[in-house]
Short mmCIF file of all heavy atoms in Angstrom, two decimals:
data_model
loop_
_atom_site.label_atom_id
_atom_site.label_comp_id
_atom_site.label_asym_id
_atom_site.label_seq_id
_atom_site.Cartn_x
_atom_site.Cartn_y
_atom_site.Cartn_z
N ILE A 182 31.97 5.54 72.09
CA ILE A 182 30.66 5.01 72.49
C ILE A 182 29.79 6.12 73.08
O ILE A 182 28.61 6.23 72.76
CB ILE A 182 30.86 3.86 73.50
CG1 ILE A 182 31.46 2.65 72.78
CG2 ILE A 182 29.55 3.48 74.17
CD1 ILE A 182 31.95 1.55 73.70
N SER A 185 28.47 8.14 70.10
CA SER A 185 27.60 7.52 69.11
C SER A 185 26.43 6.75 69.71
O SER A 185 25.45 6.48 69.03
CB SER A 185 28.41 6.59 68.21
OG SER A 185 28.93 5.52 68.97
N LYS A 186 26.52 6.41 71.00
CA LYS A 186 25.50 5.51 71.55
C LYS A 186 24.64 6.09 72.67
O LYS A 186 23.67 5.47 73.07
CB LYS A 186 26.19 4.24 72.09
CG LYS A 186 26.93 3.43 71.05
CD LYS A 186 25.97 2.70 70.14
CE LYS A 186 26.71 1.96 69.05
NZ LYS A 186 25.84 1.64 67.92
N THR A 187 25.02 7.25 73.21
CA THR A 187 24.27 7.73 74.38
C THR A 187 23.42 8.94 74.02
O THR A 187 23.65 9.61 73.02
CB THR A 187 25.23 8.15 75.52
OG1 THR A 187 25.95 9.31 75.09
CG2 THR A 187 26.20 7.04 75.88
N PRO A 188 22.41 9.23 74.87
CA PRO A 188 21.60 10.44 74.65
C PRO A 188 22.45 11.70 74.60
O PRO A 188 22.21 12.59 73.80
CB PRO A 188 20.67 10.45 75.87
CG PRO A 188 20.59 9.04 76.31
CD PRO A 188 21.93 8.44 76.00
N ARG A 191 23.96 12.13 71.19
CA ARG A 191 22.93 12.54 70.24
C ARG A 191 22.67 14.04 70.35
O ARG A 191 22.53 14.76 69.36
CB ARG A 191 21.65 11.76 70.55
CG ARG A 191 20.54 11.94 69.56
CD ARG A 191 20.81 11.31 68.22
NE ARG A 191 21.02 9.86 68.27
CZ ARG A 191 20.05 8.96 68.42
NH1 ARG A 191 18.80 9.35 68.51
NH2 ARG A 191 20.32 7.68 68.46
N LYS A 192 22.66 14.52 71.60
CA LYS A 192 22.38 15.94 71.81
C LYS A 192 23.53 16.83 71.32
O LYS A 192 23.30 17.94 70.86
CB LYS A 192 22.06 16.19 73.29
CG LYS A 192 20.69 15.61 73.65
CD LYS A 192 20.25 16.01 75.04
CE LYS A 192 20.85 15.10 76.07
NZ LYS A 192 20.28 15.34 77.42
N TYR A 194 25.35 16.26 68.67
CA TYR A 194 25.12 16.41 67.23
C TYR A 194 23.96 17.39 66.95
O TYR A 194 24.04 18.21 66.04
CB TYR A 194 24.78 15.06 66.59
CG TYR A 194 25.98 14.18 66.36
CD1 TYR A 194 26.19 13.06 67.15
CD2 TYR A 194 26.89 14.46 65.35
CE1 TYR A 194 27.30 12.23 66.93
CE2 TYR A 194 27.99 13.65 65.13
CZ TYR A 194 28.20 12.53 65.93
OH TYR A 194 29.28 11.74 65.71
N ALA A 195 22.89 17.28 67.73
CA ALA A 195 21.72 18.13 67.50
C ALA A 195 22.07 19.60 67.72
O ALA A 195 21.70 20.47 66.93
CB ALA A 195 20.57 17.70 68.40
N GLY A 198 24.24 20.72 64.93
CA GLY A 198 23.56 20.68 63.63
C GLY A 198 22.58 21.81 63.45
O GLY A 198 22.51 22.44 62.39
N ASN A 199 21.78 22.08 64.46
CA ASN A 199 20.85 23.20 64.43
C ASN A 199 20.49 23.59 65.86
O ASN A 199 19.62 22.97 66.49
CB ASN A 199 19.58 22.83 63.64
CG ASN A 199 18.64 24.01 63.48
OD1 ASN A 199 18.76 25.02 64.18
ND2 ASN A 199 17.68 23.90 62.57
N VAL A 201 18.98 26.14 67.14
CA VAL A 201 17.62 26.64 67.38
C VAL A 201 16.65 25.46 67.47
O VAL A 201 15.84 25.36 68.40
CB VAL A 201 17.18 27.60 66.26
CG1 VAL A 201 15.73 28.00 66.43
CG2 VAL A 201 18.08 28.83 66.26
N ALA A 202 16.76 24.55 66.51
CA ALA A 202 15.85 23.40 66.52
C ALA A 202 16.07 22.54 67.76
O ALA A 202 15.12 21.98 68.29
CB ALA A 202 16.03 22.57 65.26
N SER A 203 17.31 22.46 68.23
CA SER A 203 17.53 21.64 69.42
C SER A 203 16.90 22.31 70.65
O SER A 203 16.34 21.63 71.50
CB SER A 203 19.03 21.36 69.63
OG SER A 203 19.73 22.54 69.90
N THR A 204 16.95 23.64 70.71
CA THR A 204 16.25 24.34 71.79
C THR A 204 14.74 24.09 71.69
O THR A 204 14.07 23.83 72.68
CB THR A 204 16.53 25.85 71.72
OG1 THR A 204 17.92 26.06 71.82
CG2 THR A 204 15.82 26.59 72.85
N PHE A 205 14.21 24.16 70.47
CA PHE A 205 12.78 23.90 70.24
C PHE A 205 12.42 22.46 70.57
O PHE A 205 11.24 22.13 70.67
CB PHE A 205 12.40 24.22 68.78
CG PHE A 205 11.94 25.63 68.57
CD1 PHE A 205 12.85 26.66 68.48
CD2 PHE A 205 10.59 25.94 68.45
CE1 PHE A 205 12.44 27.97 68.29
CE2 PHE A 205 10.17 27.25 68.26
CZ PHE A 205 11.10 28.26 68.17
N SER A 206 13.42 21.58 70.67
CA SER A 206 13.14 20.20 71.05
C SER A 206 13.39 19.97 72.53
O SER A 206 13.43 18.84 72.99
CB SER A 206 14.01 19.24 70.23
OG SER A 206 13.66 19.30 68.87
N GLY A 207 13.57 21.04 73.26
CA GLY A 207 13.71 20.93 74.71
C GLY A 207 15.10 20.56 75.19
O GLY A 207 15.29 20.23 76.35
N ILE A 208 16.08 20.59 74.30
CA ILE A 208 17.45 20.30 74.72
C ILE A 208 18.03 21.54 75.39
O ILE A 208 17.89 22.64 74.88
CB ILE A 208 18.31 19.87 73.52
CG1 ILE A 208 17.84 18.51 73.01
CG2 ILE A 208 19.79 19.82 73.88
CD1 ILE A 208 18.48 18.09 71.72
N ARG A 209 18.65 21.33 76.55
CA ARG A 209 19.28 22.47 77.24
C ARG A 209 20.66 22.67 76.63
O ARG A 209 21.65 22.08 77.05
CB ARG A 209 19.35 22.20 78.74
CG ARG A 209 17.97 22.10 79.37
CD ARG A 209 18.06 21.81 80.85
NE ARG A 209 16.80 21.32 81.36
CZ ARG A 209 15.79 22.11 81.76
NH1 ARG A 209 15.90 23.42 81.68
NH2 ARG A 209 14.68 21.58 82.19
N PHE B 303 5.36 28.18 75.04
CA PHE B 303 6.40 27.16 74.92
C PHE B 303 7.69 27.61 75.64
O PHE B 303 8.72 26.98 75.50
CB PHE B 303 6.68 26.87 73.44
CG PHE B 303 7.42 25.59 73.19
CD1 PHE B 303 6.92 24.37 73.63
CD2 PHE B 303 8.61 25.58 72.50
CE1 PHE B 303 7.60 23.18 73.40
CE2 PHE B 303 9.31 24.40 72.26
CZ PHE B 303 8.80 23.19 72.71
N LEU B 305 9.52 30.34 75.21
CA LEU B 305 10.53 31.04 74.41
C LEU B 305 10.48 32.55 74.59
O LEU B 305 11.40 33.26 74.22
CB LEU B 305 10.36 30.70 72.93
CG LEU B 305 10.74 29.27 72.55
CD1 LEU B 305 10.05 28.86 71.26
CD2 LEU B 305 12.24 29.14 72.40
N PRO B 325 11.74 25.91 76.81
CA PRO B 325 11.09 24.82 76.07
C PRO B 325 11.16 23.50 76.84
O PRO B 325 10.18 22.75 76.87
CB PRO B 325 11.88 24.76 74.78
CG PRO B 325 12.37 26.15 74.57
CD PRO B 325 12.68 26.65 75.95
N ALA B 326 12.32 23.24 77.47
CA ALA B 326 12.44 21.99 78.23
C ALA B 326 11.39 21.94 79.33
O ALA B 326 10.77 20.90 79.59
CB ALA B 326 13.84 21.87 78.80
N ILE B 329 7.94 21.32 77.80
CA ILE B 329 7.78 19.92 77.41
C ILE B 329 7.51 19.06 78.64
O ILE B 329 6.62 18.21 78.63
CB ILE B 329 9.03 19.42 76.65
CG1 ILE B 329 9.14 20.14 75.30
CG2 ILE B 329 8.98 17.92 76.44
CD1 ILE B 329 10.50 20.00 74.64
N LYS B 341 12.32 24.26 58.82
CA LYS B 341 13.75 24.02 58.63
C LYS B 341 14.60 24.70 59.69
O LYS B 341 15.63 24.19 60.09
CB LYS B 341 14.18 24.49 57.25
CG LYS B 341 13.60 23.63 56.16
CD LYS B 341 14.13 24.01 54.80
CE LYS B 341 13.53 23.08 53.76
NZ LYS B 341 13.96 23.39 52.41
N GLY B 342 14.17 25.88 60.11
CA GLY B 342 14.97 26.62 61.08
C GLY B 342 14.75 26.16 62.50
O GLY B 342 15.66 26.15 63.31
N GLN B 343 13.49 25.81 62.83
CA GLN B 343 13.15 25.53 64.22
C GLN B 343 12.74 24.09 64.47
O GLN B 343 12.84 23.59 65.59
CB GLN B 343 11.99 26.45 64.66
CG GLN B 343 12.30 27.91 64.47
CD GLN B 343 11.07 28.77 64.58
OE1 GLN B 343 9.95 28.34 64.32
NE2 GLN B 343 11.26 30.02 64.96
N LEU B 345 13.62 21.10 62.67
CA LEU B 345 14.43 19.94 62.33
C LEU B 345 15.92 20.23 62.36
O LEU B 345 16.34 21.36 62.12
CB LEU B 345 14.08 19.47 60.91
CG LEU B 345 12.68 18.93 60.68
CD1 LEU B 345 12.38 18.84 59.20
CD2 LEU B 345 12.51 17.57 61.33
N MET B 349 20.53 15.55 60.27
CA MET B 349 20.34 14.30 61.03
C MET B 349 19.37 13.38 60.31
O MET B 349 18.57 13.82 59.50
CB MET B 349 19.76 14.64 62.40
CG MET B 349 20.75 14.64 63.51
SD MET B 349 19.85 14.81 65.06
CE MET B 349 21.19 14.55 66.19
N ARG B 352 14.94 9.16 62.03
CA ARG B 352 14.66 8.60 63.35
C ARG B 352 15.18 9.51 64.46
O ARG B 352 14.46 9.82 65.42
CB ARG B 352 15.35 7.23 63.45
CG ARG B 352 15.12 6.52 64.75
CD ARG B 352 16.15 5.43 64.95
NE ARG B 352 17.49 6.01 65.19
CZ ARG B 352 18.57 5.31 65.40
NH1 ARG B 352 18.52 3.99 65.35
NH2 ARG B 352 19.73 5.90 65.63
N ASP B 353 16.43 9.97 64.32
CA ASP B 353 17.02 10.77 65.38
C ASP B 353 16.29 12.09 65.56
O ASP B 353 16.15 12.60 66.67
CB ASP B 353 18.50 11.05 65.08
CG ASP B 353 19.33 9.77 65.14
OD1 ASP B 353 18.74 8.70 65.39
OD2 ASP B 353 20.55 9.85 64.93
N PRO B 358 13.34 14.97 71.31
CA PRO B 358 12.93 15.50 72.61
C PRO B 358 12.90 14.44 73.71
O PRO B 358 12.94 14.77 74.89
CB PRO B 358 11.51 16.02 72.36
CG PRO B 358 11.36 16.08 70.89
CD PRO B 358 12.27 15.06 70.32
N ASP B 361 16.48 11.31 76.12
CA ASP B 361 16.92 11.01 77.48
C ASP B 361 16.12 9.88 78.12
O ASP B 361 16.61 9.22 79.03
CB ASP B 361 16.79 12.27 78.36
CG ASP B 361 18.02 13.16 78.24
OD1 ASP B 361 19.12 12.61 78.06
OD2 ASP B 361 17.87 14.39 78.31
N THR B 364 16.17 4.92 76.90
CA THR B 364 17.49 4.36 77.13
C THR B 364 17.41 2.91 77.61
O THR B 364 16.41 2.50 78.21
CB THR B 364 18.27 5.17 78.17
OG1 THR B 364 17.41 5.39 79.29
CG2 THR B 364 18.70 6.50 77.61
N PHE B 368 22.77 3.61 77.37
CA PHE B 368 22.74 3.81 75.92
C PHE B 368 21.36 4.16 75.41
O PHE B 368 20.34 3.85 76.03
CB PHE B 368 23.24 2.54 75.21
CG PHE B 368 24.60 2.13 75.65
CD1 PHE B 368 24.81 0.88 76.22
CD2 PHE B 368 25.68 2.99 75.51
CE1 PHE B 368 26.07 0.51 76.65
CE2 PHE B 368 26.95 2.62 75.93
CZ PHE B 368 27.14 1.37 76.51
N VAL B 369 21.34 4.82 74.27
CA VAL B 369 20.08 5.07 73.60
C VAL B 369 19.53 3.73 73.11
O VAL B 369 20.24 2.95 72.48
CB VAL B 369 20.27 6.01 72.38
CG1 VAL B 369 18.95 6.24 71.68
CG2 VAL B 369 20.88 7.33 72.82
N GLU B 374 13.66 3.39 69.43
CA GLU B 374 13.59 4.55 68.55
C GLU B 374 13.04 4.16 67.18
O GLU B 374 12.17 4.84 66.65
CB GLU B 374 14.99 5.14 68.35
CG GLU B 374 15.52 5.91 69.51
CD GLU B 374 16.80 6.63 69.09
OE1 GLU B 374 17.81 5.94 68.91
OE2 GLU B 374 16.76 7.85 68.91
N LYS B 411 7.26 13.83 65.70
CA LYS B 411 8.13 14.06 66.85
C LYS B 411 7.32 14.44 68.08
O LYS B 411 7.55 13.94 69.17
CB LYS B 411 9.13 15.15 66.48
CG LYS B 411 9.92 15.74 67.60
CD LYS B 411 11.13 16.50 67.06
CE LYS B 411 10.93 17.98 67.11
NZ LYS B 411 12.16 18.71 66.76
N TRP B 412 6.35 15.34 67.86
CA TRP B 412 5.60 15.81 69.03
C TRP B 412 4.44 14.90 69.38
O TRP B 412 4.09 14.76 70.55
CB TRP B 412 5.14 17.26 68.81
CG TRP B 412 6.32 18.16 68.78
CD1 TRP B 412 6.79 18.88 67.73
CD2 TRP B 412 7.24 18.40 69.86
NE1 TRP B 412 7.93 19.55 68.07
CE2 TRP B 412 8.23 19.27 69.38
CE3 TRP B 412 7.33 17.95 71.18
CZ2 TRP B 412 9.29 19.70 70.17
CZ3 TRP B 412 8.38 18.39 71.96
CH2 TRP B 412 9.35 19.26 71.45
#
Side-chain angles (χ1 to χ4, degrees):
Chain A
I182 290 169
S185 64
K186 298 287 176 200
T187 67
R191 187 70 60 76
K192 289 188 276 188
Y194 282 108
N199 185 345
V201 174
S203 65
T204 301
F205 269 78
S206 294
I208 292 172
R209 295 179 197 276
Chain B
F303 197 58
L305 289 158
I329 292 165
K341 292 185 179 179
Q343 303 166 333
L345 294 166
M349 259 188 172
R352 181 198 69 180
D353 293 1
D361 274 327
T364 48
F368 304 120
V369 179
E374 285 190 288
K411 167 164 104 172
W412 293 114

